Amino acid sequence: LFREGQVDKAIALMEETIKIRKDILGPLHVRVANGHFNLGGQLEPLPDRQALAEQHLLAAAQIAETALPPMHPNRYFLIGVPGAFEARAGRYDKAIALLTPLVDDAPDDLRKTDMYCFLDANLALARYGKHPTPEGSELLTRKIAHVDNCAPTPSLLEAMPLLRASAVALQGKHGASTAGGANPPAAKQR
């Protein structure tokens, strides 16, 4: 329905699905978090739905903190997504505050995941946005290229164009070389 332009109908159906999951599974179930995450992800690219996207992404993060064990990869990702959202929305201080502890304190096994690579690249975007330097631009380009090599999951493949577009726009604004050249191989695109 989102692709067909029936945004209001799609939102209503996804919110009804979340409500049903809450009623059946309880409000703190990981499937409820996934529903919020999926809806937030669909809304993020829509400029007039940013507040609703953020609301659903934050709800997913709050549930994940309770529903999943510490440092579970999905818990880590669902908690980090609001920080990534803030980075791409240009709210760099908030993004840095949310993402820095996740990236800096990640155990070694999580540092090998696509989720870690994605959050690390969003943190590089926020740091570059706050302090645009040539070194920061180079680091951002490297981090985005690294995500492309982390065997991204389908949800990550959907988020990468948003991250890449934010990086290219920000780097272009500051006259830096862009992350636009860091595109995933055709085999990894959907």
Side-chain angles (χ1 to χ4, degrees):
L1 293 175
F2 278 103
R3 291 182 192 145
E4 297 170 7
Q6 298 180 43
V7 174
D8 291 331
K9 187 174 182 178
I11 292 170
L13 287 172
M14 290 184 84
E15 286 180 338
E16 180 63 20
T17 301
I18 293 168
K19 182 186 176 309
I20 291 168
R21 287 179 179 177
K22 282 182 185 177
D23 291 346
I24 294 171
L25 302 171
L28 299 177
H29 195 278
V30 70
R31 301 258 340 243
V32 175
N34 288 340
H36 283 294
F37 175 79
N38 291 336
L39 180 51
Q42 289 291 327
L43 295 172
E44 183 181 0
L46 307 175
D48 61 330
R49 305 299 174 119
Q50 294 292 294
L52 187 58
E54 183 175 21
Q55 174 188 335
H56 282 284
L57 293 173
L58 288 171
Q62 291 168 346
I63 294 167
E65 285 183 291
T66 303
L68 294 168
M71 289 303 143
H72 184 282
N74 290 339
R75 179 181 190 271
Y76 178 81
F77 188 65
L78 290 171
I79 293 170
V81 166
F85 177 86
E86 297 297 338
R88 293 189 304 274
R91 295 185 288 268
Y92 305 123
D93 288 329
K94 194 170 182 182
I96 290 168
L98 290 167
L99 292 171
T100 298
L102 289 174
V103 171
D104 290 352
D105 299 337
D108 288 340
D109 59 329
L110 275 176
R111 289 177 185 266
K112 298 172 187 167
T113 67
D114 62 343
M115 293 171 244
Y116 174 85
C117 297
F118 178 71
L119 296 179
D120 191 30
N122 277 281
L123 179 57
L125 174 70
R127 287 178 173 159
Y128 177 71
K130 186 169 171 96
H131 301 290
T133 64
E135 296 81 12
S137 178
E138 290 174 24
L139 178 64
L140 175 57
T141 298
R142 282 196 317 272
K143 297 286 186 180
I144 289 175
H146 184 68
V147 176
D148 292 334
N149 294 320
C150 283
T153 58
S155 62
L156 198 73
L157 284 172
E158 291 174 10
M160 281 307 296
L162 296 171
L163 172 59
R164 198 172 285 108
S166 296
V168 167
L170 185 61
Q171 289 172 320
K173 177 180 169 184
H174 296 290
S177 62
T178 68
N183 290 320
K188 289 188 179 179
Q189 291 181 341
R190 291 196 319 159

